[in-house]
Amino acid sequence: MENRTIEPKRDPMGRAIADYHSTGKAAKLRVLSSMFYEDEIPVSTLFRTFGEMPPLEQRMMELSRGRVLDVGAGSGCHSLVLMERGLGVKAIDISELSVQVMRERGVDAALVNFFDETFVEKFDTVLMAMNGIGIVGKVERLPEFFRCAKRLLAPGGQLLLDSSDLRYLFEEEDGSFTVNLAAGYYGEVDFELRYKGVKGASFDWLYIDFETLSLYANEAGFNCERCADGEHYDYLARLTVK
Ligand code: SAH
Protein backbone atom coordinates (compact mmCIF):
# COMPACT_ATOMS: atom_id res chain seq x y z
CA MET A 1 0.00 0.00 0.00
CA GLU A 2 2.74 2.41 0.95
CA ASN A 3 5.90 3.00 -1.01
CA ARG A 4 7.19 6.26 0.42
CA THR A 5 10.95 6.74 0.34
CA ILE A 6 13.18 9.58 1.59
CA GLU A 7 15.09 11.75 -0.85
CA PRO A 8 18.54 13.06 0.15
CA LYS A 9 17.49 16.66 0.76
CA ARG A 10 14.98 15.61 3.45
CA ASP A 11 17.11 12.89 5.03
CA PRO A 12 19.11 13.94 8.12
CA MET A 13 19.97 10.38 9.23
CA GLY A 14 20.95 9.30 5.71
CA ARG A 15 23.23 12.36 5.44
CA ALA A 16 24.84 11.56 8.77
CA ILE A 17 25.37 7.93 7.72
CA ALA A 18 26.83 8.99 4.36
CA ASP A 19 29.20 11.51 6.02
CA TYR A 20 30.38 8.99 8.60
CA HIS A 21 30.87 6.37 5.90
CA SER A 22 32.97 8.62 3.67
CA THR A 23 34.96 10.59 6.29
CA GLY A 24 34.84 8.54 9.51
CA LYS A 25 33.11 11.37 11.34
CA ALA A 26 29.82 13.24 11.38
CA ALA A 27 28.19 16.29 12.94
CA LYS A 28 25.44 16.10 15.56
CA LEU A 29 22.34 14.10 14.58
CA ARG A 30 19.67 15.86 16.63
CA VAL A 31 16.41 14.23 17.73
CA LEU A 32 13.40 16.42 18.56
CA SER A 33 10.09 15.29 19.98
CA SER A 34 7.12 16.91 21.69
CA MET A 35 7.45 14.20 24.38
CA PHE A 36 11.15 14.42 25.26
CA TYR A 37 13.92 16.94 25.71
CA GLU A 38 16.14 17.33 22.67
CA ASP A 39 18.53 14.41 22.31
CA GLU A 40 21.14 13.22 19.86
CA ILE A 41 22.06 9.93 18.21
CA PRO A 42 25.84 9.41 18.22
CA VAL A 43 26.35 8.60 14.53
CA SER A 44 29.16 6.13 15.29
CA THR A 45 26.60 3.91 17.08
CA LEU A 46 24.81 3.45 13.75
CA PHE A 47 28.01 1.72 12.61
CA ARG A 48 28.30 -0.58 15.64
CA THR A 49 30.12 -3.89 15.37
CA PHE A 50 28.89 -7.10 17.00
CA GLY A 51 30.99 -6.36 20.10
CA GLU A 52 29.51 -2.87 20.37
CA MET A 53 25.90 -4.03 20.12
CA PRO A 54 23.71 -4.18 23.21
CA PRO A 55 23.13 -7.77 24.49
CA LEU A 56 19.58 -7.91 23.04
CA GLU A 57 20.92 -7.21 19.56
CA GLN A 58 23.73 -9.73 19.99
CA ARG A 59 21.09 -12.29 20.91
CA MET A 60 19.14 -11.28 17.81
CA MET A 61 22.22 -11.97 15.68
CA GLU A 62 22.59 -15.38 17.29
CA LEU A 63 18.93 -16.30 16.75
CA SER A 64 19.01 -15.31 13.06
CA ARG A 65 19.00 -18.19 10.61
CA GLY A 66 18.40 -18.98 6.95
CA ARG A 67 17.79 -16.15 4.53
CA VAL A 68 17.45 -12.87 6.42
CA LEU A 69 15.64 -9.61 5.69
CA ASP A 70 17.09 -6.64 7.62
CA VAL A 71 14.26 -4.07 7.78
CA GLY A 72 15.17 -0.37 8.13
CA ALA A 73 18.79 -1.45 7.96
CA GLY A 74 20.40 2.03 8.17
CA SER A 75 24.16 1.68 7.71
CA GLY A 76 23.80 -2.10 7.37
CA CYS A 77 25.57 -2.93 10.65
CA HIS A 78 23.43 -5.98 11.42
CA SER A 79 23.47 -7.18 7.81
CA LEU A 80 27.28 -7.11 7.82
CA VAL A 81 27.50 -9.15 11.03
CA LEU A 82 25.15 -11.79 9.61
CA MET A 83 26.97 -11.89 6.27
CA GLU A 84 30.23 -12.55 8.12
CA ARG A 85 28.46 -15.46 9.79
CA GLY A 86 27.69 -16.88 6.37
CA LEU A 87 23.98 -16.00 6.19
CA GLY A 88 22.32 -14.68 3.02
CA VAL A 89 21.01 -11.19 3.79
CA LYS A 90 18.86 -8.65 2.01
CA ALA A 91 18.60 -5.17 3.53
CA ILE A 92 15.79 -2.72 2.88
CA ASP A 93 15.49 0.94 3.81
CA ILE A 94 13.49 3.95 2.61
CA SER A 95 16.57 6.23 2.71
CA GLU A 96 18.24 6.58 -0.69
CA LEU A 97 21.47 7.68 1.01
CA SER A 98 21.53 4.74 3.43
CA VAL A 99 20.86 2.25 0.63
CA GLN A 100 23.75 3.75 -1.33
CA VAL A 101 26.10 3.49 1.68
CA MET A 102 25.06 -0.13 2.32
CA ARG A 103 25.77 -1.02 -1.30
CA GLU A 104 29.22 0.56 -1.01
CA ARG A 105 29.78 -1.58 2.10
CA GLY A 106 28.93 -4.72 0.12
CA VAL A 107 25.40 -5.26 1.41
CA ASP A 108 22.62 -6.40 -0.96
CA ALA A 109 20.42 -3.39 -0.21
CA ALA A 110 17.20 -2.21 -1.85
CA LEU A 111 15.21 1.00 -1.62
CA VAL A 112 12.00 -0.61 -0.41
CA ASN A 113 9.35 0.42 2.11
CA PHE A 114 8.38 -2.45 4.43
CA PHE A 115 4.69 -1.68 3.81
CA ASP A 116 5.03 -1.88 0.02
CA GLU A 117 2.90 -4.85 -0.97
CA THR A 118 4.67 -5.26 -4.30
CA PHE A 119 7.77 -6.50 -2.43
CA VAL A 120 7.08 -10.22 -2.29
CA GLU A 121 10.27 -12.14 -1.52
CA LYS A 122 10.21 -14.67 1.35
CA PHE A 123 12.65 -14.91 4.26
CA ASP A 124 13.39 -17.30 7.12
CA THR A 125 14.23 -14.42 9.46
CA VAL A 126 12.86 -10.89 9.36
CA LEU A 127 14.94 -8.60 11.57
CA MET A 128 13.80 -5.31 13.04
CA ALA A 129 16.62 -4.01 15.23
CA MET A 130 16.82 -0.80 17.29
CA ASN A 131 13.08 -0.73 17.90
CA GLY A 132 12.56 -1.35 14.17
CA ILE A 133 8.85 -1.94 14.78
CA GLY A 134 8.82 1.82 15.40
CA ILE A 135 8.02 2.22 11.68
CA VAL A 136 4.46 1.13 12.47
CA GLY A 137 3.99 4.57 14.10
CA LYS A 138 0.61 3.97 15.74
CA VAL A 139 -0.96 0.92 17.39
CA GLU A 140 -3.91 1.07 14.98
CA ARG A 141 -1.50 0.19 12.21
CA LEU A 142 -0.37 -3.11 13.79
CA PRO A 143 -2.86 -5.27 11.82
CA GLU A 144 -1.38 -3.93 8.57
CA PHE A 145 2.12 -4.55 9.95
CA PHE A 146 1.31 -8.19 10.67
CA ARG A 147 -0.21 -8.67 7.21
CA CYS A 148 3.03 -7.43 5.65
CA ALA A 149 5.16 -9.56 7.97
CA LYS A 150 3.17 -12.67 7.05
CA ARG A 151 3.70 -11.98 3.36
CA LEU A 152 7.49 -11.82 3.86
CA LEU A 153 7.92 -14.93 6.02
CA ALA A 154 8.79 -18.28 4.48
CA PRO A 155 7.08 -21.32 6.07
CA GLY A 156 8.54 -21.77 9.57
CA GLY A 157 10.02 -18.26 9.42
CA GLN A 158 10.54 -15.93 12.38
CA LEU A 159 10.29 -12.21 13.03
CA LEU A 160 12.82 -10.87 15.55
CA LEU A 161 12.36 -7.45 17.10
CA ASP A 162 13.35 -5.41 20.12
CA SER A 163 11.25 -2.67 21.68
CA SER A 164 10.71 -0.87 25.00
CA ASP A 165 7.80 -0.31 27.34
CA LEU A 166 7.67 3.47 27.81
CA ARG A 167 5.53 3.16 30.95
CA TYR A 168 8.50 4.29 33.07
CA LEU A 169 7.95 7.78 31.66
CA PHE A 170 4.52 7.89 33.27
CA GLU A 171 5.18 6.05 36.51
CA GLU A 172 4.78 7.97 39.77
CA GLU A 173 7.18 7.41 42.64
CA ASP A 174 4.65 5.16 44.41
CA GLY A 175 4.60 2.88 41.35
CA SER A 176 1.19 4.01 40.10
CA PHE A 177 0.80 4.70 36.44
CA THR A 178 -0.89 7.80 35.05
CA VAL A 179 -1.64 8.02 31.36
CA ASN A 180 -4.22 9.99 29.49
CA LEU A 181 -6.19 7.22 27.81
CA ALA A 182 -7.83 9.69 25.44
CA ALA A 183 -4.39 10.61 24.08
CA GLY A 184 -3.89 7.18 22.51
CA TYR A 185 -1.37 4.48 23.38
CA TYR A 186 1.47 5.85 25.53
CA GLY A 187 4.24 4.44 23.33
CA GLU A 188 3.26 6.51 20.29
CA VAL A 189 5.97 9.14 19.86
CA ASP A 190 6.51 11.90 17.30
CA PHE A 191 10.08 12.54 16.20
CA GLU A 192 11.90 14.93 13.94
CA LEU A 193 15.57 14.61 12.99
CA ARG A 194 18.02 17.35 12.08
CA TYR A 195 21.55 17.15 10.76
CA LYS A 196 23.57 20.18 9.69
CA GLY A 197 21.12 22.21 7.58
CA VAL A 198 18.92 19.21 6.79
CA LYS A 199 15.55 19.02 8.51
CA GLY A 200 13.54 15.83 8.13
CA ALA A 201 9.76 15.54 8.10
CA SER A 202 8.15 14.76 11.45
CA PHE A 203 7.25 11.06 11.77
CA ASP A 204 5.36 8.75 14.15
CA TRP A 205 7.41 6.08 15.92
CA LEU A 206 5.92 3.31 18.05
CA TYR A 207 7.44 1.83 21.20
CA ILE A 208 5.36 -1.13 22.27
CA ASP A 209 5.23 -3.11 25.49
CA PHE A 210 5.36 -6.88 25.22
CA GLU A 211 1.77 -7.49 26.41
CA THR A 212 0.22 -5.15 23.84
CA LEU A 213 2.43 -6.61 21.12
CA SER A 214 1.37 -10.18 22.02
CA LEU A 215 -2.29 -9.21 22.03
CA TYR A 216 -2.16 -7.85 18.48
CA ALA A 217 0.18 -10.63 17.34
CA ASN A 218 -2.22 -13.31 18.57
CA GLU A 219 -5.13 -11.58 16.93
CA ALA A 220 -3.16 -11.58 13.65
CA GLY A 221 -2.30 -15.29 13.91
CA PHE A 222 1.21 -15.08 15.36
CA ASN A 223 2.84 -16.71 18.38
CA CYS A 224 4.79 -14.13 20.34
CA GLU A 225 7.62 -15.20 22.63
CA ARG A 226 9.69 -13.01 24.93
CA CYS A 227 13.26 -14.24 24.35
CA ALA A 228 15.24 -11.86 26.54
CA ASP A 229 14.98 -8.76 28.67
CA GLY A 230 17.16 -5.69 28.41
CA GLU A 231 18.29 -3.46 31.22
CA HIS A 232 15.68 -0.77 30.90
CA TYR A 233 12.12 -1.93 30.15
CA ASP A 234 13.31 -3.29 26.80
CA TYR A 235 12.93 -6.82 25.50
CA LEU A 236 13.55 -9.08 22.53
CA ALA A 237 10.58 -10.83 20.94
CA ARG A 238 10.36 -13.70 18.48
CA LEU A 239 7.17 -14.03 16.44
CA THR A 240 6.16 -16.98 14.32
CA VAL A 241 3.01 -17.73 12.34
CA LYS A 242 0.65 -20.04 14.27
N1 SAH B 1 18.41 -0.83 11.99
C1 SAH B 1 19.41 0.21 11.97
C2 SAH B 1 18.83 1.62 11.68
C3 SAH B 1 17.76 2.08 12.62
S1 SAH B 1 17.10 3.68 12.25
C4 SAH B 1 20.21 0.17 13.25
O1 SAH B 1 19.80 -0.55 14.16
O2 SAH B 1 21.24 0.83 13.34
C5 SAH B 1 15.60 3.24 11.41
C6 SAH B 1 15.78 3.03 9.92
O3 SAH B 1 14.52 2.61 9.38
C7 SAH B 1 16.16 4.28 9.13
O4 SAH B 1 17.29 3.99 8.35
C8 SAH B 1 14.93 4.58 8.27
O5 SAH B 1 15.26 5.17 7.03
C9 SAH B 1 14.32 3.20 8.10
N2 SAH B 1 12.85 3.16 7.82
C10 SAH B 1 11.90 3.97 8.34
N3 SAH B 1 10.67 3.61 7.89
C11 SAH B 1 10.87 2.52 7.07
C12 SAH B 1 9.97 1.69 6.32
N4 SAH B 1 8.65 1.90 6.30
N5 SAH B 1 10.50 0.66 5.61
C13 SAH B 1 11.84 0.43 5.63
N6 SAH B 1 12.73 1.19 6.32
C14 SAH B 1 12.25 2.22 7.04
Side-chain angles (χ1 to χ4, degrees):
M1 203 149 106
E2 188 191 13
N3 50 22
R4 184 179 66 89
T5 57
I6 312 175
E7 52 178 334
K9 65 174 196 286
R10 296 300 308 274
D11 188 3
M13 184 182 275
R15 283 267 178 219
I17 285 177
D19 274 2
Y20 193 87
H21 172 63
S22 56
T23 67
K25 53 186 189 328
K28 222 181 217 190
L29 178 57
R30 297 163 60 202
V31 183
L32 291 86
S33 167
S34 66
M35 278 174 70
F36 304 106
Y37 290 113
E38 181 174 331
D39 202 357
E40 79 177 273
I41 301 177
V43 181
S44 62
T45 65
L46 296 173
F47 285 78
R48 58 203 180 279
T49 59
F50 180 78
E52 292 163 344
M53 286 175 187
L56 286 185
E57 289 186 9
Q58 293 185 340
R59 186 92 185 92
M60 227 180 205
M61 301 291 88
E62 280 151 7
L63 288 171
S64 295
R65 54 172 174 74
R67 184 157 159 70
V68 181
L69 177 69
D70 185 358
V71 178
S75 81
C77 56
H78 300 95
S79 294
L80 286 163
V81 166
L82 296 174
M83 285 160 64
E84 266 171 39
R85 293 175 169 230
L87 298 185
V89 183
K90 174 134 196 171
I92 59 169
D93 204 291
I94 56 172
S95 155
E96 290 178 26
L97 287 165
S98 294
V99 167
Q100 196 179 315
V101 167
M102 284 195 272
R103 287 182 178 155
E104 283 169 25
R105 299 181 85 198
V107 176
D108 175 17
L111 186 66
V112 170
N113 189 310
F114 174 83
F115 295 102
D116 182 351
E117 285 168 23
T118 63
F119 179 58
V120 288
E121 282 177 56
K122 303 258 184 220
F123 300 87
D124 303 301
T125 299
V126 172
L127 202 70
M128 305 187 84
M130 198 175 163
N131 194 53
I133 194 171
I135 64 172
V136 174
K138 302 261 185 206
V139 162
E140 65 185 34
R141 213 175 170 204
L142 280 168
E144 183 191 354
F145 166 75
F146 284 115
R147 267 201 312 280
C148 292
K150 230 178 225 176
R151 194 188 67 235
L152 295 168
L153 285 170
Q158 56 173 355
L159 171 63
L160 299 175
L161 64 92
D162 61 327
S163 193
S164 306
D165 184 349
L166 292 193
R167 68 177 299 141
Y168 64 87
L169 292 173
F170 308 95
E171 245 163 21
E172 307 292 338
E173 275 172 32
D174 64 2
S176 68
F177 179 57
T178 333
V179 286
N180 175 3
L181 292 172
Y185 175 66
Y186 62 85
E188 294 173 346
V189 179
D190 61 289
F191 280 127
E192 197 186 298
L193 300 174
R194 294 201 191 156
Y195 180 77
K196 291 180 173 169
V198 186
K199 191 169 168 291
S202 165
F203 59 94
D204 296 324
W205 192 251
L206 178 69
Y207 292 88
I208 190 161
D209 66 282
F210 181 76
E211 285 67 33
T212 308
L213 176 70
S214 319
L215 213 72
Y216 279 85
N218 273 295
E219 192 69 25
F222 281 81
N223 295 307
C224 186
E225 169 196 350
R226 188 172 186 135
C227 298
D229 288 296
E231 284 179 354
H232 199 249
Y233 298 84
D234 49 339
Y235 65 90
L236 169 63
R238 177 172 177 270
L239 292 91
T240 48
V241 177
K242 278 187 205 165

